[in-house]
Amino acid sequence: MKTIRIAAMSLAALLLGASALQAKTLVYCSEGSPENFTPALNTTGTSFDAARGVYNKLTEFERGSTKVVPGLAESWTVSEDGKVFTFKLRKGVKFHAIKPQNGLAFTPTRDFNADDVMFSFNRQADESHPYHKVSGGKYDYFSDMDMKKNVKSFEKVDDSTIRMTLNEPNAPILANLAMDFMAIHSAEYADMLLKAGKPEQFDQAPVGTGPFSFVAYQKDAMIRYKANPAFYGEKALVDDLVFAITPDPTARYAKLKANECQFIIAPRQADLPEMQKDPALKVINQPGLNIAYWAFNVTKPPFDKKEVRQALNMAIDKAAIIKDVYLGAGTAAVNLIPPTLWGYNKDVKDWPFDAAKAKELLAKAGVTTPLDIDLWHAGAAPV
């Protein structure tokens, strides 16, 4: 019987590791169109997923975990004071060629080297860089991870060596380099497009070193990729990958059952029991890296009072929310770091749901109910 896979994990990781795949073409029903194909410019999982198979980073996350392993940097050393990282780059790594896009094709004339790492870093860090303002020039992840503040200098030592000097020791810096926003691009491709007066193509028709090369994109319809035979790592088990862009989860499920796609992301929670009973389907899940939380403006009354913040924490019935809203597809968060990250403290105790105690704390703080407050929702899901 054919096994059909369903998951909300990295598609590229699944394709590289799924032993049950037999077809030469795999169709993935994705949930939306990417903003573009340059991860540094984006913050959404939809855009990251569309680019993830195309690129590599200096460091990578071991599949299925947050353990940092070598990527385009095959090794590195760290100075005794923890401030200087020296990366030795892989040799012989090939960039993708790309068929004509808006009249421009690209065939690399050299292998990956330190110039590509410098381009990818400096585009985000240097406001005078010729690509800094292309496609809007917003690098939210680079800014939010304090890369400009943390990194004192980023230097090319030679074609196969990069030296990064920090202002002070930073424990997660290697993990930062493994994140999508630090994907390594082809400086040669960028130079070609700049000279042709079409730098915007750089973010719409991507060139990387990853397991899949970009072929074509039709907004709100499909994205096509081909397996990269020159990929330095584990080869993909399919020849062609198609993203069938399908925003509605019910439509994704219908396409899956009709075998119009073999993999879908983010099924409706209400459909999970039926999926799990279907012998033709395989449901895959793993703990997420995202977390939903309620942040208080502690400069605005009554949230400037600790008792009020504690009361509202105790007034939230997380178990009921997970059961009735997420239909069991979630886990109650205990603190601001999900358990899948290395900094998680398993000894932190969760606040209990206690409506009576919450009312008592509000009364102690001099706050009466009903309480009129503004809530701003940024969009997230519990872990």
Side-chain angles (χ1 to χ4, degrees):
M1 179 175 291
K2 180 184 293 183
T3 297
I4 301 176
R5 296 179 175 267
I6 309 169
M9 59 187 285
S10 165
L11 181 65
L14 176 67
L15 291 174
L16 295 175
S19 60
L21 294 177
Q22 297 176 351
K24 292 295 183 180
T25 298
L26 187 139
V27 181
Y28 164 51
C29 279
S30 63
E31 79 277 271
S33 295
E35 299 160 272
N36 53 64
F37 293 89
T38 294
L41 294 166
N42 303 319
T43 59
T44 66
T46 300
S47 296
F48 290 154
D49 284 346
R52 193 163 284 149
V54 174
Y55 298 110
N56 295 108
K57 285 83 68 179
L58 283 180
T59 59
E60 307 273 357
F61 292 117
E62 185 177 73
R63 188 182 310 146
S65 78
T66 56
K67 179 183 177 182
V68 176
V69 296
L72 288 173
E74 63 182 2
S75 65
W76 54 86
T77 58
V78 186
S79 62
E80 288 189 10
D81 63 3
K83 293 182 181 181
V84 181
F85 290 70
T86 303
F87 298 92
K88 288 297 181 182
L89 307 182
R90 293 183 188 272
K91 295 181 180 180
V93 176
K94 310 296 182 183
F95 275 104
H96 308 146
I98 196 167
K99 292 182 178 180
Q101 308 284 331
N102 297 319
L104 291 176
F106 172 70
T107 301
T109 64
R110 62 165 177 81
D111 292 347
F112 155 78
N113 65 31
D115 291 335
D116 305 302
V117 181
M118 293 302 298
F119 169 88
S120 304
F121 180 85
N122 286 333
R123 178 184 181 180
Q124 301 180 74
D126 183 0
E127 294 181 7
S128 65
H129 191 278
Y131 269 83
H132 185 77
K133 294 182 180 179
V134 173
S135 302
K138 288 189 66 179
Y139 306 99
D140 290 336
Y141 257 103
F142 191 86
S143 174
D144 292 346
M145 302 307 291
D146 279 335
M147 292 296 286
K148 203 167 184 177
K149 175 183 175 183
N150 291 330
V151 179
K152 181 179 181 180
S153 63
F154 208 78
E155 309 165 82
K156 172 184 174 180
V157 178
D158 55 44
D159 278 351
S160 59
T161 310
I162 289 287
R163 180 185 298 123
M164 178 180 67
T165 303
L166 306 180
N167 286 308
E168 60 184 15
N170 184 279
I173 193 66
L174 290 174
N176 290 356
L177 296 179
M179 294 176 68
D180 292 287
F181 76 94
M182 285 303 296
I184 304 302
H185 301 258
S186 167
E188 184 184 21
Y189 180 49
D191 289 343
M192 183 202 79
L193 293 177
L194 198 63
K195 291 174 182 175
K198 295 185 177 181
E200 65 282 349
Q201 178 177 312
F202 185 81
D203 303 314
Q204 298 300 330
V207 167
T209 59
F212 288 94
S213 62
F214 174 83
V215 176
Y217 170 46
Q218 183 180 347
K219 184 176 172 59
D220 299 329
M222 65 85 190
I223 315 170
R224 293 186 179 276
Y225 308 85
K226 288 193 73 69
N228 174 16
F231 181 51
Y232 68 84
E234 186 180 356
K235 303 298 189 292
L237 299 180
V238 295
D239 296 323
D240 297 283
L241 169 63
V242 178
F243 277 40
I245 298 169
T246 313
D248 181 63
T250 301
R252 291 198 294 273
Y253 186 23
K255 287 184 177 182
L256 182 73
K257 290 192 289 186
N259 202 29
E260 294 176 21
C261 58
Q262 293 77 50
F263 183 99
I264 69 172
I265 193 172
R268 289 195 320 137
Q269 290 93 331
D271 291 332
L272 285 174
E274 179 184 342
M275 291 178 172
Q276 290 166 335
K277 292 177 183 177
D278 189 334
L281 305 182
K282 183 173 182 180
V283 179
I284 302 173
N285 66 81
Q286 67 179 36
L289 294 172
N290 61 331
I291 193 163
Y293 58 90
W294 189 2
F296 302 107
N297 183 350
V298 297
T299 66
K300 183 177 181 179
F303 305 116
D304 56 338
K305 296 181 178 180
K306 181 175 69 174
E307 292 86 0
V308 173
R309 300 193 297 270
Q310 292 174 335
L312 293 178
N313 205 350
M314 298 178 76
I316 298 174
D317 189 348
K318 287 186 278 190
I321 293 172
I322 291 171
K323 176 178 179 291
D324 297 331
V325 178
Y326 294 98
L327 303 182
T331 302
V334 176
N335 53 46
L336 290 175
I337 298 178
T340 42
L341 292 184
W342 64 268
Y344 181 75
N345 185 350
K346 63 180 178 13
D347 295 325
V348 172
K349 302 300 182 184
D350 196 7
W351 285 85
F353 168 60
D354 190 333
K357 181 66 175 178
K359 291 178 181 178
E360 179 185 324
L361 287 171
L362 287 177
K364 180 181 178 181
V367 175
T368 58
T369 56
L371 180 62
D372 185 16
I373 59 176
D374 293 326
L375 290 177
W376 294 77
H377 180 254
V383 296

